[in-house]
Amino acid sequence: MFFSSILFHKDVIEKGVSLPVSVIICAKNEAKNLSSFLPYILEQSYSNFEVILINDASSDATLEVMQSFKKENERITIIDVKNNESFWGNKKYALTLGIKAAKNNHLLFTDADCKPLSKNWITTMVQKFKTEKTIVLGYGKYKAEKSIINLLVRYETLLTAMQYFSYAKIQFPYMGVGRNLAYTKDTFFNVNGFISHIQLKSGDDDLFIQDAANKENTTISMSKSSFTESLAPTTFKQWFLQKRRHVSTAKHYKFKHQFFLALFYISKLLFYLMGSVLLFFNPLKILVFILTYYLVQILVTYFSAKKLEEPKVALFAPFLEIGLLLFQLSIFITNLTSKPTHWK
């Protein structure tokens, strides 16, 4: 399995990193989450950073919350975005205004409902920038709760991270997540920002990586101190709507990325379909083959997941994989018949 490429990855924590950094958070109707999670950003141990808060035409008290924090912290700059006729409800328009307003070339992105799991989050992410490395892919995990939906969400998030980390590790980067992503302003403007997909309301993270990332300029951060954490969807309906948006964006990936991602999914599906049929003809041999597959899967997933602080999820991988395949199949069928909604 290509996941093995991250098994031996090790991040070296460097001291004395002092690149000036702009942390950018785009928020739409996130008053409650900003109140809860923004303090974790402002309490970072890094000395040389500013915080760009983008209010994307919120209808709640998001702007007021931002202003209350700004009164107490001079690091904060607020960008108050009004709805624009040409870019109505488009997060990419709001993000572009925030990026242009940033004083620094090195940019670090997260969401209003995320919190860093360490006071060294900025330090750990920023240290991965090198002269040739201008894009850093981080990990945005979900908080563990006692429910089946939470277990499935965390497994899918883990699997996605294992994929994009592994692909980047073998110099084939294809996506990142806006919950924890860093790149330079120069990199953003070198590809004209989001212009190639500005008409799409999603894809400010993965479609940007599609345009900007290559084997020379992209690196990963898998250190625990670089993780962010969000609250997971609590119902299947919430998660279903969220993943519909993500899946609909993937059809705009480069063909080579679509091909390998589809191949991965189809191979899993065929494994279960063919295995179920062949069990009737030679049950003993097929059962041994299936058990061997599960053993290898659990081991590889476990040691990869351990690096991402999700070892318990890996233990349920065989059962979660079946549930996730059925879930993804239902999303694919639904997206064929109707369009998903996007940014709040």
Side-chain angles (χ1 to χ4, degrees):
M1 295 175 70
F2 69 91
F3 289 156
S4 59
S5 64
I6 62 173
L7 289 180
F8 304 104
H9 176 81
K10 186 176 182 180
D11 286 316
V12 178
I13 307 299
E14 298 179 7
K15 296 181 179 180
V17 180
S18 60
L19 290 171
V21 179
S22 297
V23 178
I24 299 181
I25 302 172
C26 189
K28 189 176 185 71
N29 299 328
E30 293 281 10
K32 183 178 179 181
N33 284 326
L34 278 172
S35 298
S36 299
F37 300 130
L38 186 53
Y40 291 94
I41 305 291
L42 299 173
E43 293 168 2
Q44 287 290 296
S45 62
Y46 203 75
S47 60
N48 196 0
F49 74 99
E50 65 170 350
V51 178
I52 306 294
L53 298 179
I54 307 166
N55 173 41
D56 187 11
S58 298
S59 58
D60 68 353
T62 293
L63 181 59
E64 289 76 9
V65 170
M66 290 178 175
Q67 290 169 335
S68 67
F69 274 103
K70 181 175 173 57
K71 288 179 182 178
E72 305 295 327
N73 199 302
E74 61 183 14
R75 294 184 187 275
I76 294 175
T77 297
I78 297 174
I79 308 299
D80 187 21
V81 181
K82 306 298 182 183
N83 275 321
N84 180 296
E85 226 175 278
S86 301
F87 303 103
W88 191 270
N90 194 321
K91 182 183 179 183
K92 295 170 189 173
Y93 170 67
L95 275 172
T96 300
L97 295 182
I99 291 169
K100 287 182 175 179
K103 296 175 183 177
N104 305 312
N105 187 42
H106 294 84
L107 313 174
L108 178 55
F109 297 82
T110 191
D111 289 340
D113 61 349
C114 295
K115 73 172 183 179
L117 291 181
S118 164
K119 288 188 176 182
N120 295 317
W121 169 61
I122 297 178
T123 304
T124 313
M125 286 293 288
V126 171
Q127 66 154 357
K128 303 297 288 187
F129 280 118
K130 307 294 179 186
T131 302
E132 73 284 2
K133 300 298 183 183
T134 61
I135 297 175
V136 183
L137 309 180
Y139 179 49
K141 66 182 296 184
Y142 282 110
K143 185 176 180 180
E145 304 285 353
K146 292 182 178 180
S147 70
I148 296 297
I149 177 66
N150 181 267
L151 199 59
L152 269 168
V153 170
R154 286 161 51 213
Y155 175 72
E156 190 273 336
T157 303
L158 170 67
L159 188 62
T160 300
M162 288 168 62
Q163 285 182 307
Y164 71 74
F165 279 143
S166 297
Y167 273 83
K169 189 72 175 174
I170 61 174
Q171 301 186 329
F172 199 61
Y174 76 95
M175 71 161 285
V177 292
R179 300 190 302 276
N180 197 4
L181 177 65
Y183 51 81
T184 64
K185 189 186 286 192
D186 288 341
T187 300
F188 180 78
F189 287 115
N190 283 343
V191 294
N192 296 315
F194 305 122
I195 195 65
S196 70
H197 47 90
I198 194 68
Q199 77 283 3
L200 302 173
K201 291 185 178 181
S202 59
D204 54 276
D205 44 16
D206 53 352
L207 292 184
F208 173 76
I209 294 300
Q210 284 281 305
D211 285 343
N214 57 56
K215 63 181 180 181
E216 284 85 21
N217 70 358
T218 306
T219 188
I220 65 176
S221 181
M222 291 180 63
S223 170
K224 179 182 177 180
S225 58
S226 73
F227 296 170
T228 61
E229 183 182 77
S230 308
L231 297 177
T234 55
T235 67
F236 276 100
K237 183 178 180 180
Q238 288 178 341
W239 189 39
F240 189 81
L241 293 174
Q242 181 190 81
K243 297 315 296 181
R244 280 193 68 193
R245 295 193 293 269
H246 294 169
V247 171
S248 68
T249 302
K251 69 181 181 181
H252 299 283
Y253 286 6
K254 294 173 183 175
F255 175 77
K256 60 182 179 181
H257 295 139
Q258 290 189 53
F259 175 80
F260 285 109
L261 291 171
L263 185 64
F264 177 79
Y265 175 77
I266 292 171
S267 66
K268 295 280 187 181
L269 201 58
L270 288 176
F271 170 79
Y272 285 102
L273 291 174
M274 293 178 66
S276 300
V277 172
L278 293 174
L279 270 174
F280 290 101
F281 298 97
N282 200 331
L284 185 58
K285 285 186 178 180
I286 297 302
L287 190 59
V288 170
F289 176 75
I290 291 174
L291 291 176
T292 302
Y293 165 80
Y294 279 148
L295 178 61
V296 173
Q297 181 196 43
I298 289 173
L299 288 174
V300 174
T301 304
Y302 175 80
F303 287 109
S304 298
K306 192 174 181 181
K307 286 180 172 289
L308 299 175
E309 297 291 305
E310 288 284 14
K312 292 182 180 179
V313 174
L315 299 178
F316 298 96
F319 307 102
L320 295 173
E321 180 175 81
I322 296 172
L324 185 58
L325 283 171
L326 295 173
F327 180 77
Q328 291 170 329
L329 184 61
S330 66
I331 289 176
F332 176 75
I333 294 171
T334 304
N335 278 2
L336 287 177
T337 58
S338 63
K339 291 183 179 181
T341 55
H342 296 280
W343 183 240
K344 304 170 189 175

